[in-house]
Amino acid sequence: MEVKLSIGPGRIAHATGALYLEATGTLLIADAHLGYGWAQRRRGQLGPVTDGGIEERLMAAVAAFEPEEVLFLGDTVHAPKPMPAEREWIEGLLRRLMVKARVAVVQGNHDRAFDRDFGHLPLTISKEWWHQDLVGIHGDRLDLEVPEAAHYLIGHVHPAIRVRDDAGASRRIPAFLVSKTATVLPAFSPFAAGFDILDGPLPETIGRLLGPYQVYPVTGRQILLLRANRSDR
């Protein structure tokens, strides 16, 4: 049972859905949507206020790689203007991470007020992340001018596959999508149902960027290569 798996040069995927970059000692986390339970309560939903075990999984990934930097690849939080308990929990988690590594945030569409709400913390906030031929962006916009040989690291899509048992029960399992040109990370949030790649084509801009890709599902305890050379084009 594989907990870590190489999915490209210097790129190691973890069963939690995190991605480690050996060249920079960076651990990437996409679509954490921290504070989701609290944000939904503020919007009138009566679901349980819980983190769904996200902190435990995050710390497990940090322990597995001991990174120099933890990079949130967009949609770090779920909603702006957190209520006191929501803010306290998010800040507490970020500060506990800062004890172990530098923390950086690439802003996604859910992070429109992140710098206002959490910019007082000692972390880096940016629109994109670069290292040589690697460019990390959230993925809601793909209008950057980048070198032709660049490899994109993207969140936003929440890729997943649906599996069914003999009784008809189904579950969506998050998955990495990996091609020569891009790596799409699964949503780290346990509350993100995911875009089922078996139900239909990817969003056109993502599909065009990826080209033929491989699928690596992650269960939290295991990662494996499910299918090679899938293409929506």
Side-chain angles (χ1 to χ4, degrees), residues 79-186:
K81 299 180 180 179
M83 65 184 190
E86 182 180 352
R87 178 187 295 277
E88 181 181 0
W89 183 81
I90 294 172
E91 284 197 15
L93 173 56
L94 293 175
R95 290 188 184 279
R96 286 188 287 277
L97 276 177
M98 291 172 192
V99 173
K100 299 179 179 296
R102 300 189 308 274
V103 174
V105 169
V106 167
Q107 289 179 289
N109 50 295
H110 279 254
D111 299 317
R112 57 190 179 276
F114 188 90
D115 52 353
R116 182 196 67 199
D117 294 333
F118 299 101
H120 61 282
L121 296 174
L123 46 73
T124 302
I125 304 171
S126 62
K127 296 295 184 183
E128 65 271 340
W129 177 95
W130 292 80
H131 177 73
Q132 296 179 358
D133 63 338
L134 296 175
V135 54
I137 57 176
H138 179 54
D140 53 323
R141 296 183 61 184
L142 296 173
D143 54 359
L144 286 178
E145 292 187 9
V146 300
E148 185 175 344
H151 186 91
Y152 286 82
L153 306 168
I154 302 173
H156 187 60
V157 180
H158 300 200
I161 58 169
R162 185 186 297 276
V163 295
R164 295 177 175 85
D165 62 20
D166 291 340
S170 66
R171 175 190 173 193
R172 286 186 180 183
I173 298 177
F176 287 90
L177 309 182
V178 181
S179 74
K180 180 180 179 180
T181 54
T183 299
V184 182
L185 279 69

Side-chain angles (χ1 to χ4, degrees), residues 13 36-37 44 63 71 77 81 90 96 167 178 186 193 207 213 224 231:
Y36 176 89
L71 174 67
V77 297
K81 299 180 180 179
I90 294 172
R96 286 188 287 277
V178 181
Y213 61 88
L224 68 156
S231 178

Side-chain angles (χ1 to χ4, degrees), residues 9-12 20-26 68 129 131-134:
R11 303 191 298 276
I12 303 175
Y20 183 67
L21 306 179
E22 292 181 315
T24 60
T26 302
E68 296 180 21
W129 177 95
H131 177 73
Q132 296 179 358
D133 63 338
L134 296 175

